[in-house]
Amino acid sequence: MIDKKYPDVLIQTTGLTRKFDRQTVVDQLSLNVPAGSVYGFLGPNGAGKTTTIRMLLGLIRPDAGEVSLFGKPLRSHRLEVLRQVSALVESPSLYPQLTGGENLEVTRRMLGLPRQAIDRALGMAGILDVKNRLVRAYSLGMKQRLALAMALMPEPTLLILDEPTNGLDPEGILDVRELIAGLPKNMGTTVFLSSHLLSEVEQVATHIGIINHGKLLFEGSLSQLQAERQQYLLLASDRPEQARELATRNGWRLLPGSNGRLKLEVNGPADAALVNRQLVQDGVNVHQLELVQPSLEDIFMTLTKSPVG
Amino acid sequence: MNALMRALSAEILKLRRTLAVAMVWVTPAVVCFINLMIASDQENTFGSLEDTWMALASNHLSFWTILALPLFITLETALMANAEHSEKAWKHLFAMPLPRWTVYAAKWLVGAGLTAASSLVLVVFTILNGLLIRSMRPDLNLSLDVPVLPFLLVGAKAFVISLFILSIHTYIANRYRSIAVAFGAGMVASVINLAAISSDNGIQYFPWSMPASVLPGMDGIFNVTTITLWALAGAAVTGLFGMILFTRRDVL
């Protein structure tokens, strides 16, 4: 479904950096968002996600580095590339004294789109029935859906969404998730989706970028991220200090602690049995042994909680 | 130009159901109401001007040009900008494939349109007020021969001169997120205006005082044409600089 007139990478940033006062909010960020993907841009609150998105849209200028969209530098081709981009940044920007339909009409007029684009977008967001209601009477979830409709209205090649499920109820989250997941196939749209919740992104994303303290910690496909899942062994014994010493001496890699229990990097049940045997032979009584397969959430937490140098 | 027309069309739609539109007739109505109260005072003979209609218009225009018009522009520009500030809509507007200057220019043009409309409403209301006063105060000898064209001309001149104020307030209101800054600037300027009006040359140099130069009786003191040209030049320069400064800013 992806139009081959576009390059394989729709968003490319190189060394993107932005400081506010003296604090570096985005630090040497180099992103590559493949065409046809749903790219989950993950990071805790304050990681630099929204600042990055604002730079991708030309709303703020980077102190260093460059943004290229559709293979063209944003700085010199802003209008040309933005014609193919739509975005929902943070909270919805709506005019409360206008109806939902009129709010879309404001954007439609600015973009010079056909009139029927309004009903189509409202239908996609599932709020066609409240088209003529004043936005000040909308719930937070309805406003979020309206903002989403506004972003979908021009049928963009690239859709940038910043925390799009904020304020939605579980049903709404499910609807939006389905909508986003189907966009590459149904509209040929590449989606760049920011969130602080891995659980939300992993269900729709084909690619993941993880950011913290402005730095990119991981970028790759979801399967690549899953491959990073290193098994570990949780071990409790009567003499933890001696167990730690013995494990290190026997060449096992210790992972950051877990409430007095040893956490060792292992490769399967055979390793777990070997560790147990070594400790027992040296007189350490092992009373708990657990082989753990970390979840994606664990990986995300590990990555984003590691100190950044 | 097509982009400007699209931005302008969107800007006009945003006015729907807003206080900004209501103020177009409310402000002149307040001016007329005050004048009606003054006229109801039987002692008031509307000064020494021989032409009572022009004296009546002069009274309306004094309130309009010295106080109501500058405050109207302050309010309108603040309300229009606040629609974007309060909903953090600049990020949405400036992420669209439109030159940023068109969004700013559209706001200026709508502000000018609202000011022009309100000036026209003032002229209409002044005439209606005069006819009402005519029935209340037969002693004033107001004729039915209403000098519509001179009224329109004076209203139009005040409007053109006020574009300088509009350019200044369009920038202030859009630049600062807090509506208090926009209102504060308008209030302070209005207070200074009262002092400038009473000084010998204030009207010529203070943008907020310039519209008062069109008042009947000022013709001999000030050269309205020169002041109009100054005001237009000021409007153009301030408008252009405001637009450049505003559109180059980061949208945080």
Side-chain angles (χ1 to χ4, degrees), chain A residues 18 20 54 57-61 78-79 82-83 89 91-99 102 105-107 109-112 134 150, chain B residues 6-7 9-10 13-18 83-84 87-100 103 248-252:
Chain A
R18 174 69 201 218
F20 288 113
R54 285 172 191 260
L57 294 167
L59 294 171
I60 57 178
R61 275 166 293 197
R78 194 181 82 87
L79 292 182
L82 286 184
R83 276 188 198 107
V89 185
S91 54
S93 301
L94 305 166
Y95 303 103
Q97 85 284 2
L98 300 181
T99 66
E102 287 167 346
E105 175 65 12
V106 169
T107 300
R109 288 187 187 188
M110 292 188 90
L111 297 175
L134 292 182
M150 205 176 278
Chain B
R6 282 191 271 139
S9 165
L13 178 60
K14 286 184 214 167
L15 288 175
R16 204 173 277 185
R17 302 181 202 95
T18 60
E84 316 298 352
E87 294 297 316
K88 295 182 179 171
W90 292 113
K91 59 181 170 20
H92 175 65
L93 295 174
F94 282 176
M96 281 199 226
L98 280 175
R100 287 183 173 192
V103 177
R248 287 174 62 87
R249 291 187 71 237
D250 281 343
V251 184
L252 297 173

Side-chain angles (χ1 to χ4, degrees), chain A residues 183-202:
Chain A
L183 285 174
K185 195 178 166 204
N186 302 332
M187 271 169 52
T189 302
T190 300
V191 183
F192 183 88
L193 166 74
S194 98
S195 177
H196 61 278
L197 300 170
L198 176 70
S199 56
E200 174 150 328
V201 167
E202 69 176 319

Side-chain angles (χ1 to χ4, degrees), chain B residues 48-67:
Chain B
S48 56
L49 285 179
E50 287 180 8
D51 185 339
T52 318
W53 267 110
M54 283 316 285
L56 192 73
S58 179
N59 257 28
H60 282 72
L61 278 168
S62 298
F63 277 103
W64 178 248
T65 56
I66 296 170
L67 201 62

Side-chain angles (χ1 to χ4, degrees), chain A residues 108-158:
Chain A
R108 189 198 70 78
R109 288 187 187 188
M110 292 188 90
L111 297 175
L113 300 171
R115 284 185 193 281
Q116 55 269 34
I118 292 177
D119 283 359
R120 191 175 55 226
L122 288 170
M124 283 176 83
I127 49 168
L128 186 57
D129 54 329
V130 289
K131 178 186 173 183
N132 297 318
R133 194 185 296 177
L134 292 182
V135 164
R136 68 164 66 101
Y138 275 29
S139 67
L140 188 60
M142 283 156 73
K143 284 181 185 170
Q144 195 71 10
R145 280 171 184 258
L146 184 62
L148 202 59
M150 205 176 278
L152 290 169
M153 190 167 58
E155 299 192 9
T157 309
L158 173 63

